Amino acid sequence: MMLDLVRKSRSYRRFYEEKHITNDQLSALVELGRLSPCGGNKQYIKYVTVCSEEMNEKVYGCLAWAGYLKEWDGPVKGERPAGYIILLRDKNIQSAMSVDEGISAQSIFLGATEMGFGGCFLMNIQREKLAEVLELDTEHFAISMVIALGVPKEEVVIEPMASDGDFKYWRDEKQVHHVPKRSQEEVLLKQI
Ligand SMILES: Cc1cc2nc3c(=O)[nH]c(=O)nc-3n(C[C@H](O)[C@H](O)[C@H](O)COP(=O)(O)O)c2cc1C
């Protein structure tokens, strides 16, 4: 089951925008982040959730999608995310463990998949603009990551990585998204 969940938890960038995500569903996902492990148990991550049409559009305008798909500017209207979870770093809580955001985000991501959603982590963000959109106190909070969420409208296929080691994802003529992954033989160095 876990393997299934992880295999299904791909990065989706096109969604059925009309299929909504609710505040309750977003809170349930934040709960997964809240309960995730973190360095020194400092818990410096704070969350903002967004799912109204007006705010979704504003957040969308701060994000950059799929850098390797040069001719694609991101999802068109009608295929955009139904909501977002924005991970913030609380600057008043000292911690050097920046890996915490990744752990929290993956908990959220897996939970979203289990709930029938899909999403995309985004770190290519216009942070100043997004801080304004969210009316954040930037003395207190820094934007770490955005998780876009919705019901996926695209197929994503895992591919074995070619021998030339090209890690770039691509889209075929049917708009199926292909994502190469290194083999277990390549990544599992030793079993001692
Ligand atoms: C930390 C992190 C930052 C990412 N930032 C972006 C981003 O800004 N824009 C985007 O379209 N995808 C982003 N992605 C998605 C990656 O491109 C994606 O995870 C990768 O291509 C592998 O595909 P997969 O998630 O289906 O395995 C990010 C993923 C991670 C983990």
Side-chain angles (χ1 to χ4, degrees):
M1 274 191 60
M2 191 60 190
L3 179 60
D4 251 17
L5 196 60
V6 173
R7 286 188 76 87
K8 271 172 69 181
S9 292
R10 301 271 60 81
S11 293
Y12 293 100
R13 298 179 178 87
R14 291 186 294 139
F15 305 91
Y16 293 99
E17 197 171 339
E18 72 281 7
K19 297 193 180 178
H20 299 298
I21 190 164
T22 63
N23 273 319
D24 283 350
Q25 287 169 320
L26 290 168
S27 304
L29 292 174
V30 167
E31 186 67 357
L32 302 178
R34 184 180 78 84
L35 296 175
S36 292
C38 56
N41 202 28
K42 300 273 181 69
Q43 302 166 65
Y44 63 75
I45 304 171
K46 302 287 166 70
Y47 304 84
V48 174
T49 68
V50 170
C51 64
S52 71
E53 206 178 320
E54 185 197 346
M55 287 304 294
N56 279 350
E57 195 168 328
K58 289 184 179 170
V59 172
Y60 174 83
C62 302
L63 306 173
W65 297 80
Y68 297 147
L69 305 181
K70 295 292 176 209
E71 326 73 67
W72 190 66
D73 292 333
V76 293
K77 245 184 177 338
E79 296 189 344
R80 290 182 182 164
Y84 298 91
I85 297 177
I86 298 107
L87 276 65
L88 310 175
R89 175 179 287 245
D90 186 333
K91 296 180 183 176
N92 293 341
I93 303 173
Q94 292 300 318
S95 179
M97 305 282 183
S98 60
V99 72
D100 289 359
E101 280 96 329
I103 295 168
S104 161
Q106 183 67 357
S107 296
I108 291 171
F109 213 64
L110 293 173
T113 303
E114 192 190 56
M115 283 165 67
F117 294 106
C120 190
F121 297 120
L122 294 119
M123 287 195 74
N124 195 347
I125 306 164
Q126 293 178 54
R127 283 180 171 74
E128 276 178 31
K129 186 173 165 190
L130 183 57
E132 273 176 38
V133 162
L134 301 177
E135 296 179 15
L136 281 183
D137 171 4
T138 51
E139 298 277 301
H140 190 168
F141 299 106
I143 295 168
S144 298
M145 183 190 284
V146 175
I147 306 176
L149 293 163
V151 175
K153 198 184 178 180
E154 65 180 348
E155 188 186 349
V156 178
V157 181
I158 296 174
E159 300 287 354
M161 188 175 281
S163 53
D164 63 4
D166 190 353
F167 45 76
K168 293 193 186 77
Y169 47 78
W170 75 92
R171 245 185 225 164
D172 66 24
E173 62 288 346
K174 290 184 177 147
Q175 300 306 305
V176 174
H177 184 95
H178 299 264
V179 59
K181 293 288 177 187
R182 297 186 196 279
S183 67
Q184 167 120 198
E185 291 70 36
E186 185 180 350
V187 302
L188 179 56
L189 289 188
K190 284 187 195 182
Q191 289 188 295
I192 306 174

